[in-house]
Amino acid sequence: MYKLRSKDERGVTKTSWLDSAHTFSFADYYDPYNMGFSVLRVINDDIIAPDGGFDLHPHKDMEIITVVLSGELEHKDSLGHTSVIHSNDVQVMTAGTGILHSEYNPSSIRPVHLLQIWITPDKPSLKPKYEQKSFKEENMKNKFCLIASKDGRNGSLMINQDAFLYKMTLEEHKNIINTELNPQRKYWLQIARGAIEADSQILVAGDGLGISDEDGFMEIKGIDESSDILLFDLPE
């Protein structure tokens, strides 16, 4: 079964410094029919204005993944980490028993575009942890690159859940047909930038596609000059 979550159906939060679209229920946006997908709880598509950002705030019992698409994001947390996350960088936080963090756009002229992702952990009250890694563009070009996983395989960042997150930059007219589906798993395809064709549907930036009870292979075709795609492989 394939279920389209259109970009135009998402919830929206707009402030003087934040333009955010919510694939699933988040904060003041509540949709009882879109509370998450498997263990995937949040996909927020955030654009933070120059000099804007999230003040220090707490999280608990959540795996938080940040994928920066363009610009830079400055991170600080209660574990003592201070870093700047660049395009093609990925940040993973295990909130566990509790963590405080802030995320700011350090540029005074350029916005930062990112996806903030929440995945529920496989157990509560884990020890808080922070990791960050840059992934090479050539490892994502027209092929899925594993960026987060339960066991940290293939150089991916570790998360505390039986879930795998892949990222790909797909060029126009390129076909990817090696995505094998397991009917005992669920999958979520999120278009971060550009446009693709999957399951005979045109998907554009902001669209998501939930996949369950499917086997065989999924074909993905690039129809924009360059498209950024995230693929979540999730437990049933």
Side-chain angles (χ1 to χ4, degrees), residues 5-230:
R5 177 65 163 155
S6 169
K7 67 180 182 64
D8 298 323
E9 297 172 346
R10 298 179 297 174
V12 173
T13 296
K14 287 192 176 183
T15 70
S16 59
W17 57 267
L18 177 65
D19 187 348
S20 182
H22 316 303
T23 295
F24 306 115
S25 292
F26 182 82
D28 293 333
Y29 168 63
Y30 176 70
D31 180 348
Y33 300 103
N34 288 283
M35 296 297 296
F37 185 80
S38 178
V39 295
L40 179 58
R41 179 61 187 84
V42 167
I43 302 177
N44 287 346
D45 189 345
D46 293 343
I47 297 176
I48 301 174
D51 296 322
F54 300 95
D55 290 328
L56 196 68
H57 62 283
H59 290 289
K60 185 178 180 180
D61 287 334
M62 195 65 66
E63 302 295 293
I64 301 173
I65 304 171
T66 302
V67 178
V68 173
L69 300 170
S70 64
E72 297 179 337
L73 189 69
E74 184 179 64
H75 166 89
K76 295 181 180 179
D77 64 44
S78 54
L79 300 178
H81 298 107
T82 299
S83 63
V84 176
I85 312 164
H86 305 272
S87 177
N88 292 325
D89 286 357
V90 180
Q91 171 203 87
V92 169
M93 279 194 302
T94 294
T97 54
I99 192 169
L100 296 166
H101 77 122
S102 64
E103 309 289 342
Y104 269 91
N105 181 356
S107 173
S108 60
I109 58 174
R110 184 183 180 190
V112 56
H113 184 193
L114 60 102
L115 294 183
Q116 183 185 147
I117 298 153
W118 293 7
I119 291 176
T120 57
D122 54 13
K123 59 177 69 73
S125 302
L126 293 163
K127 182 180 179 180
K129 183 183 69 172
Y130 176 86
E131 287 187 278
Q132 178 182 329
K133 183 173 181 178
S134 180
F135 291 85
K136 295 180 180 179
E137 286 189 30
E138 57 263 33
N139 293 338
M140 305 180 186
K141 191 173 182 180
N142 300 316
K143 58 185 176 183
F144 280 116
C145 174
L146 184 63
I147 61 175
S149 68
K150 171 72 173 178
D151 53 11
R153 69 181 64 172
N154 301 330
S156 59
L157 294 167
M158 291 182 65
I159 55 175
N160 293 285
Q161 184 52 266
D162 178 24
F164 303 86
L165 174 55
Y166 300 84
K167 186 173 183 287
M168 173 170 62
T169 299
L170 185 60
E171 295 177 305
E172 189 175 10
H173 305 311
K174 294 289 186 178
N175 286 46
I176 304 299
I177 58 175
N178 63 343
T179 307
E180 187 172 7
L181 302 176
N182 180 346
Q184 304 305 315
R185 304 283 292 180
K186 290 188 174 183
Y187 304 88
W188 186 273
L189 193 67
Q190 186 72 27
I191 315 307
R193 291 191 296 192
I196 67 166
E197 181 180 338
D199 183 41
S200 303
Q201 299 185 71
I202 303 300
L203 305 176
V204 300
D207 285 345
L209 188 67
I211 305 165
S212 56
D213 300 317
E214 294 286 342
D215 57 11
F217 290 84
M218 177 173 60
E219 181 175 1
I220 302 172
K221 180 180 179 180
I223 58 175
D224 207 349
E225 182 177 353
S226 180
S227 301
D228 287 335
I229 310 161
L230 296 183

